[in-house]
Amino acid sequence: MRSVVIILFFCFLKLCCYAQKPVMYLDSVNPVIQHDSHGDSIRKYFSSTIVNYSNSPSKKKNVVITAFYSNKLAVNYRQALQKIPRLKEFGNPGSQFYVQFIDGYAGKYAIPVFDSSGIIITANGINPQNVNEYQFRVIENKRKVVLPWTTPKLFCKAYLMTKIADPNKIDEFSAYIGQFKETYGNALTFQIRKISMPDSIETSISAYWVKWQPRVVGVFTFSQLPEFLNIFKKQWTSPIEDPNQSDWSKDIALLKLKKDFRYNENDLIFYLDDIIKSKRIIEYNLVNGKDSTGWTVNDFDFNLVWLKNLSPGKYQLKIRYSVQRNNICTYAFTVKAAWYQTLWAKAALSLLGALAGGFLLLLWRSRKQAEKLKEQSTLKQLVQTELKSIRSQFNPHFVFNALSSIQGLITKNDSQNASKYLIEFSNLMRDSLKASDKEFVSISTEIKILENYLTLEKLRFGFDYHIKVSEQIDASAFEIPGLFLQPLVENAVKHGISALQENGQLTVTFEKLNNDMVVSVNDNGKGFNENESANGFGLQLTKERIKLLNQTLNGQQIEFSVKRTDNKTQVIIHFKNWLI
């Protein structure tokens, strides 16, 4: 009996060891990688890191290894090494070349992986014709070989424009190494070699699976919304606009951790340190004594938790990431009660109200409170709309596409156009940031932003566009809401003329109609159903802004409509009494 127990114990240990082995998918290509011919879907779901070893310029270019990993949760890409020092332990030694995109990690150290999707590895320069010249292997924690030297057997369309396999031809296919998953606390290193040079590593890249939990770096009350918006803008400032951007999470002037709040400080924003691409990543549970909200999905696609209308009491805010539910951050705080919220004060006020017309007093207070709540509600909507507007200016997909187009010009040795469009791109980022600080800008300023944007999109799709302003309208004298037309033009490009390439036609016109101004955005794309597109980011943002602006404008109104005429889509914005 004792021997049977010992055998079962060792079998259990062996099973545990087997369960901890990394999972490797080597027999099929990930569907996103396999079916994406233009890169948009890849960039929607994945960030990427590119690495290859740099030899003498006279030698043939080495294989370029590319890693794809989920972008739904990430630490600050440029401060990752400081926040996760252990990444350096699994860095790639030797002289190497790597590319760090705006939304990706550097390749000189291990890539941090936070969720179960793992990491996908491809290799440019290896194709079906030369695959028998190369092998790859996988090493766990730089000590244990978990996959010995193996010849690649799958291929996918090349994600990068490189000339490695044939210096005179752009690589059409890349070797698909596989998709890999590891347990947290472990690292995998992926190495590629030439069979003719078995003792030399052609290129390598590492990934480290990190145990991670949210970290609150600042708490803002409703009265501190300006400070909150400043840190929000600072976080999303493009590295192109500020190449020496410091770690925003260490800004002690704007970010403060506070535990005690007054009774009227009951709308609190808890700001987190990480990059969030989906509100489903953050889950929180607000505990007040024995009462608990239960785990709730966050309300925002940003790294913040906004708690509203909190009653006095002692709270514990528990926050976790849905990809690592066992790692929980707990933040304790207190909302103090006002004197009139205590038990004795309520009794005294009730008695005083009964003796001195408390009913009328309560009615008056109720009316004031309703007006205050309405005012706060409008202000909150304006703040949320501004958040969306600021974030939309730095859409990672658009930024990456613009940079890819510039990279394509550089690859073609068209340095003059590359420099020209890089300047246009920086101008667009700068003008957008300036416009985001103002509720209204001149028509000429808005047109300048549209021209910078359309110039960059024309580089990608080759369409033709025109912006026409009636001679009866002084573009420098009259103003419209800042960044008002950009989402509509972007929508026309994305859903309309992008598919037509050089045949696409886009026209933006400003016309005077009595005391009104009519702006129309016309495109010859396939069109769309307005009801089906009601949840689109650009149109939804514009409709929200129009609704809020119409509540504040005095004697002026804005109307919005979409129609389809002569196989053209026309978006019309009617500014009533705008030219008085």
Side-chain angles (χ1 to χ4, degrees):
M1 181 66 181
R2 183 178 179 182
S3 60
V4 173
V5 172
I6 294 175
I7 292 173
L8 291 176
F9 175 75
F10 280 105
C11 289
F12 175 76
L13 288 179
K14 183 176 181 182
L15 182 63
C16 290
C17 294
Y18 176 77
Q20 293 178 353
K21 289 183 178 179
V23 179
M24 295 177 281
Y25 300 97
L26 308 176
D27 297 326
S28 63
V29 179
N30 182 281
V32 176
I33 304 293
Q34 183 179 18
H35 300 297
D36 187 359
S37 60
H38 44 69
D40 286 348
S41 296
I42 292 176
R43 288 186 288 274
K44 179 179 179 181
Y45 297 104
F46 298 113
S47 291
S48 60
T49 296
I50 300 170
V51 174
N52 85 318
Y53 284 87
S54 300
N55 293 326
S56 170
S58 61
K59 296 182 179 180
K60 183 180 178 181
K61 293 181 180 179
N62 287 12
V63 168
V64 172
I65 192 169
T66 304
F68 300 94
Y69 42 92
S70 173
N71 59 10
K72 299 303 181 185
L73 170 65
V75 301
N76 192 313
Y77 293 110
R78 295 185 177 273
Q79 278 78 41
L81 193 59
Q82 289 72 32
K83 297 178 184 296
I84 313 174
R86 200 174 179 200
L87 297 178
K88 193 173 182 180
E89 297 179 22
F90 304 101
N92 296 306
S95 175
Q96 59 180 305
F97 169 80
Y98 65 92
V99 176
Q100 181 168 7
F101 295 118
I102 293 176
D103 57 349
Y105 296 103
K108 61 182 177 181
Y109 51 80
I111 299 167
V113 180
F114 302 99
D115 61 19
S116 59
S117 62
I119 193 166
I120 298 170
I121 305 297
T122 65
N124 268 42
I126 303 178
N127 57 35
Q129 289 71 40
N130 65 4
V131 65
N132 291 324
E133 300 176 13
Y134 295 92
Q135 291 179 326
F136 72 92
R137 70 174 177 180
V138 183
I139 302 176
E140 185 180 51
N141 297 327
K142 286 201 168 182
R143 295 189 301 270
K144 179 181 178 182
V145 176
V146 293
L147 181 66
W149 289 113
T150 304
T151 300
K153 60 181 181 179
L154 298 176
F155 301 90
C156 59
K157 289 189 176 181
Y159 180 72
L160 304 172
M161 292 187 297
T162 58
K163 295 182 179 180
I164 301 175
D166 184 347
N168 299 316
K169 182 180 179 183
I170 294 178
D171 294 316
E172 183 178 357
F173 293 98
S174 297
Y176 183 85
I177 303 302
Q179 184 171 359
F180 304 85
K181 301 179 183 181
E182 179 60 283
T183 55
Y184 291 113
N186 290 323
L188 294 178
T189 299
F190 309 93
Q191 297 179 336
I192 295 177
R193 73 176 182 181
K194 280 188 174 182
I195 297 177
S196 60
M197 303 173 65
D199 297 327
S200 176
I201 300 300
E202 180 84 358
T203 184
S204 70
I205 197 169
S206 300
Y208 175 59
W209 276 256
V210 186
K211 290 183 178 180
W212 202 248
Q213 69 180 35
R215 184 171 72 96
V216 177
V217 294
V219 184
F220 299 89
T221 63
F222 195 72
S223 63
Q224 295 173 311
L225 284 178
E227 290 87 345
F228 163 68
L229 290 176
N230 284 337
I231 198 67
F232 188 85
K233 291 180 183 179
K234 186 173 182 180
Q235 176 186 356
W236 293 106
T237 297
S238 168
I240 296 177
E241 184 75 14
D242 183 8
N244 299 318
Q245 183 181 13
S246 59
D247 187 355
W248 62 268
S249 66
K250 296 181 180 178
D251 190 330
I252 59 176
L254 295 175
L255 292 171
K256 300 181 185 300
L257 295 175
K258 188 177 179 181
K259 300 287 186 177
D260 298 314
F261 302 93
R262 299 190 300 272
Y263 70 95
N264 58 347
E265 296 177 325
N266 59 352
D267 283 351
L268 303 178
I269 300 175
F270 296 83
Y271 209 82
L272 307 180
D273 188 21
D274 298 320
I275 298 172
I276 307 299
K277 293 290 185 69
S278 170
K279 63 184 180 181
R280 295 187 175 276
I281 291 294
I282 297 179
E283 299 175 341
Y284 67 89
N285 182 11
L286 185 62
V287 180
N288 181 10
K290 295 182 179 180
D291 295 330
S292 170
T293 61
W295 288 104
T296 304
V297 174
N298 196 30
D299 297 324
F300 300 93
D301 290 325
F302 309 112
N303 50 321
L304 60 93
V305 175
W306 194 337
L307 302 180
K308 307 172 186 177
N309 300 321
L310 294 174
S311 302
K314 294 183 178 181
Y315 293 90
Q316 282 190 330
L317 176 61
K318 299 179 180 293
I319 311 173
R320 69 187 182 186
Y321 293 137
S322 59
V323 295
Q324 294 194 35
R325 289 193 167 101
N326 292 331
N327 297 319
I328 300 173
C329 165
T330 301
Y331 194 93
F333 65 96
T334 302
V335 177
K336 297 180 180 179
W339 66 269
Y340 54 81
Q341 291 175 314
T342 60
L343 182 61
W344 67 266
K346 291 179 180 179
L349 288 174
S350 298
L351 179 60
L352 181 62
L355 297 175
F359 174 77
L360 294 177
L361 178 62
L362 289 175
L363 183 61
W364 177 81
R365 289 187 60 192
S366 176
R367 181 178 299 176
K368 286 291 184 182
Q369 185 69 13
E371 293 175 355
K372 182 179 179 181
L373 289 175
K374 183 177 179 180
E375 180 181 353
Q376 288 183 349
S377 177
T378 302
L379 181 57
K380 289 177 185 178
Q381 292 181 53
L382 285 170
V383 170
Q384 293 178 16
T385 303
E386 184 176 352
L387 287 176
K388 295 177 182 178
S389 178
I390 294 168
R391 182 65 183 90
S392 71
Q393 297 167 44
F394 303 104
N395 187 312
H397 302 161
F398 166 68
V399 172
F400 188 90
N401 290 335
L403 292 178
S404 295
S405 299
I406 295 170
Q407 183 187 21
L409 289 173
I410 295 174
T411 304
K412 298 176 182 178
N413 292 322
D414 192 350
S415 59
Q416 182 177 358
N417 279 332
S419 176
K420 172 185 174 183
Y421 286 108
L422 185 59
I423 292 173
E424 294 288 347
F425 183 78
S426 64
N427 288 338
L428 176 60
M429 294 294 101
R430 182 180 64 252
D431 292 340
S432 297
L433 282 176
K434 289 181 179 178
S436 67
D437 291 331
K438 301 177 182 178
E439 185 62 33
F440 288 86
V441 298
S442 66
I443 295 175
S444 59
T445 299
E446 186 77 0
I447 290 175
K448 181 181 177 182
I449 293 174
L450 291 180
E451 288 179 337
N452 287 339
Y453 166 75
L454 289 170
T455 299
L456 289 171
E457 292 291 54
K458 183 176 181 180
L459 173 64
R460 294 176 58 204
F461 302 113
F463 59 82
D464 191 19
Y465 73 90
H466 298 280
I467 300 178
K468 303 176 182 179
V469 182
S470 172
E471 295 180 355
Q472 297 176 304
I473 299 176
D474 188 346
S476 300
F478 293 101
E479 294 183 333
I480 61 175
L483 298 175
F484 190 79
L485 301 177
Q486 197 276 340
L488 302 178
V489 172
E490 182 176 350
N491 196 71
V493 172
K494 179 179 179 182
H495 296 287
I497 62 176
S498 62
L500 300 179
Q501 300 293 320
E502 291 82 3
N503 295 323
Q505 296 287 334
L506 175 68
T507 304
V508 182
T509 61
F510 294 77
E511 297 178 338
K512 185 177 186 299
L513 181 62
N514 297 325
N515 292 328
D516 302 346
M517 180 174 68
V518 178
V519 181
S520 61
V521 180
N522 303 277
D523 70 83
N524 64 340
K526 64 179 182 179
F528 63 97
N529 187 317
E530 183 183 3
N531 295 327
E532 294 178 355
S533 302
N535 294 324
F537 189 84
L539 293 180
Q540 188 66 25
L541 173 59
T542 301
K543 291 178 180 178
E544 289 178 10
R545 290 190 69 185
I546 291 175
K547 180 180 178 181
L548 294 173
L549 285 167
N550 285 339
Q551 295 176 13
T552 59
L553 292 171
N554 185 16
Q556 297 175 314
Q557 290 287 291
I558 303 175
E559 293 183 354
F560 175 90
S561 63
V562 181
K563 65 181 181 179
R564 182 76 176 172
T565 306
D566 296 331
N567 293 325
K568 291 186 178 181
T569 301
Q570 187 176 39
V571 179
I572 301 174
I573 308 96
H574 195 156
F575 295 87
K576 293 189 173 182
N577 297 324
W578 213 263
L579 303 180
I580 297 177

